[in-house]
Amino acid sequence: MILAEERAEVCAYARRMTTDGLVVGTSGNVSVRVGDRVAVTPTGVDYEKLTAADIPVVALDGSPVDGELKPTSELPMHLTVYNEAADPDGKPVTAVVHTHSVYATAVSTLVNEVPPIHYMLAAIGPTARVARYATYGTERLAKAMLEALDERRGCLLANHGTITYGDGLGAAYHRAQQLEWVCQLWLLARSAGSPSLLPPAEIEHVVEKLRGYGQ
């Protein structure tokens, strides 16, 4: 079985999305790229029942390579990220996480950008934009997403959810978690009053600091 380890990792992170409350049921999806092959969650399958063999593998043009199940209906977004998105620091783009997380989706109905209420927004970029609404699974949605991702590592999808990417599923998933947390924080503060926001210069400063963060 080609990409056996990557397909198993896709299963593990798909189940983790459910456990962490970033998706409900079979919504949301994840993928990993190795060269010109992409392992991605299938459409309409309970993540708790997924096995590595259930994970379809496609080429970068979407044509099937291995696996009997159909890939997620959001394949156009995943492939657009791999084919056209560029990490602001020039790092490889090898994993994509798409969630339907509650707080981020709620925020996507209220604003055009996530307000800079906390410096961890810098895990995404100077801001996190909200891509204009388009029907799920369409090229139109993929195009709107790509525009919102310019110089960013993730974005919200209006009335829909979020998408993040990284060099490896760990990085992409961490960004999805951080984006959801920042959205939850903003909604909580907003419900109590008018939250103070960080100036753009501070977010830019933290973007620079995060480039050297970690071991």
Side-chain angles (χ1 to χ4, degrees), residues 96-172:
V96 174
V97 172
H98 167 48
T99 80
H100 287 184
S101 51
V102 173
Y103 295 104
T105 304
V107 170
S108 80
T109 70
L110 298 170
V111 295
N112 294 322
E113 285 188 329
V114 179
I117 193 169
H118 193 277
Y119 64 81
M120 278 313 298
L121 183 62
I124 300 299
T127 63
R129 301 187 185 100
V130 179
R132 66 184 184 279
Y133 180 80
T135 305
Y136 79 93
T138 62
E139 294 292 343
R140 186 171 168 225
L141 175 59
K143 181 179 179 181
M145 171 210 68
L146 186 63
E147 292 173 356
L149 284 178
D150 185 39
E151 293 296 318
R152 307 293 188 272
R153 297 178 183 88
C155 70
L156 277 61
L157 308 167
N159 302 82
H160 185 158
T162 74
I163 195 157
T164 55
Y165 67 78
D167 186 10
L169 268 174

Side-chain angles (χ1 to χ4, degrees), residues 28-47:
N29 30 80
V30 302
S31 68
V32 173
R33 174 184 178 178
V34 179
D36 59 356
R37 299 289 184 261
V38 175
V40 61
T41 43
T43 185
V45 177
D46 186 344
Y47 292 150

Side-chain angles (χ1 to χ4, degrees), residues 10 17 26-31 38-45 47 54-58 62 69-79 96 98 100 136-138 160:
V10 166
M17 283 200 304
T26 63
S27 65
N29 30 80
V30 302
S31 68
V38 175
V40 61
T41 43
T43 185
V45 177
Y47 292 150
D54 294 326
I55 303 301
V57 176
V58 301
L69 300 181
K70 295 179 180 179
T72 172
S73 59
E74 297 292 11
L75 185 62
M77 282 205 298
H78 289 257
L79 296 181
V96 174
H98 167 48
H100 287 184
Y136 79 93
T138 62
H160 185 158

